[in-house]
Amino acid sequence: MLSVLTIGLTCGIAAPAHAKATADLVTTTGRAGKTVALTFDDGPDPDNTPALLEVLHKYQVKAVFCLVGDQARNHPDLVRRIVLHGHTLCNHSMHHDDLGDWSAADIRADLLEASKAIREAVPGARIPYFRAPYGSWGQSPQVAADLGMQPLGWTVEVADWEQPGTSELVRRLNEQLTPGAVVLLHDGIGDRSQTVQAVDQVIPRWQAQDWIFTRPARPVQPSMIVLRLG
């Protein structure tokens, strides 16, 4: 007679399912080898975001867009374009405030409002990540996790808000790139044309060097498979 035994595995026999979000900051792709994830904060912006989307489309690269609720509400068409291009959404707070010393209740209200603003443009949109403005986390990681969003950090940050010049941004990106890196860049709140131009230069170079563009890691729960034993 055959018996059925169900066990949990973390290997790649079956496609893993995403587990509940945790309060741990994700700062890597979670994949071995030459992998990198591009993330863009503070948009959507009517000038920079369309230009960036064209660059990413040209090279068939997907990224994470960390959206500010105010910006999403002002530019719902751009939120829809981001989703239609196959990119991943991230909640970046409602007004881009420093949440570092806020109460958990106030943070929760802010994040819920920001997610609502995003979903006004794209009803039912999946928002798997949250990133705190200024990297000032306070109690927000646990609040975000309770709302189903994984706190998203970074490993590469090139201070593109300084507008040091496209060539300098390219140099910084090449210098800091490491396997599994999550790259922090910006497409909103100011002139980000240098960032767009830098991305247009580094993507083909990294692709030629066999780098794979992917998304930041998410917690994974063991896959459940059934073994039939004689």
Side-chain angles (χ1 to χ4, degrees):
M1 179 180 295
L2 298 179
S3 61
V4 178
L5 174 65
T6 303
I7 61 175
L9 297 177
T10 57
C11 63
I13 293 176
H18 290 306
K20 182 179 178 181
T22 72
D24 300 320
L25 266 64
V26 166
T27 58
T28 74
T29 64
R31 298 176 58 182
K34 297 169 73 172
T35 62
V36 58
L38 298 181
T39 68
F40 298 94
D41 286 11
D42 300 350
D45 176 88
D47 296 318
N48 305 306
T49 304
L52 179 61
L53 287 172
E54 288 303 313
V55 169
L56 296 174
H57 178 71
K58 178 169 61 174
Y59 299 113
Q60 293 299 294
V61 167
K62 305 303 181 188
V64 177
F65 283 79
C66 299
L67 306 182
V68 175
D70 282 332
Q71 292 293 98
R73 187 159 282 162
N74 289 335
H75 307 289
D77 57 319
L78 293 180
V79 179
R80 288 189 285 271
R81 286 180 62 179
I82 289 167
V83 172
L84 286 172
H85 278 249
H87 301 292
T88 300
L89 301 180
C90 170
N91 182 318
H92 197 38
S93 84
M94 186 63 198
H95 310 292
H96 204 270
D97 293 318
D98 185 335
L99 309 179
D101 61 356
W102 286 27
S103 70
D106 286 344
I107 293 171
R108 179 182 175 86
D110 184 275
L111 269 55
L112 285 172
E113 186 180 4
S115 290
K116 179 182 177 182
I118 293 168
R119 291 186 174 121
E120 286 171 358
V122 185
R126 184 168 175 265
I127 309 172
Y129 299 105
F130 163 74
R131 176 174 280 162
Y134 313 106
S136 182
W137 293 96
Q139 299 184 62
S140 67
Q142 186 61 60
V143 174
D146 291 343
L147 294 174
M149 296 181 290
Q150 188 66 35
L152 178 58
W154 59 85
T155 44
V156 174
E157 180 268 290
V158 295
D160 57 337
W161 60 85
E162 296 176 349
Q163 300 186 46
T166 300
S167 60
E168 175 60 16
L169 287 177
V170 169
R171 187 195 69 78
R172 294 177 187 179
L173 286 164
N174 287 326
E175 182 179 78
Q176 295 187 39
L177 182 64
T178 55
V182 173
V183 181
L184 168 63
L185 294 164
H186 298 79
D187 67 318
I189 307 184
D191 179 8
R192 303 302 182 197
S193 58
Q194 292 180 5
T195 297
V196 174
Q197 292 163 12
V199 170
D200 197 9
Q201 292 185 31
V202 299
I203 287 180
R205 175 172 178 173
W206 292 354
Q207 287 178 330
Q209 296 171 346
D210 297 324
W211 285 87
I212 296 172
F213 291 85
T214 185
R215 293 178 174 85
R218 284 273 290 173
V220 174
Q221 64 188 8
S223 299
M224 303 304 294
I225 65 173
V226 175
L227 298 182
R228 296 186 177 274
L229 303 178

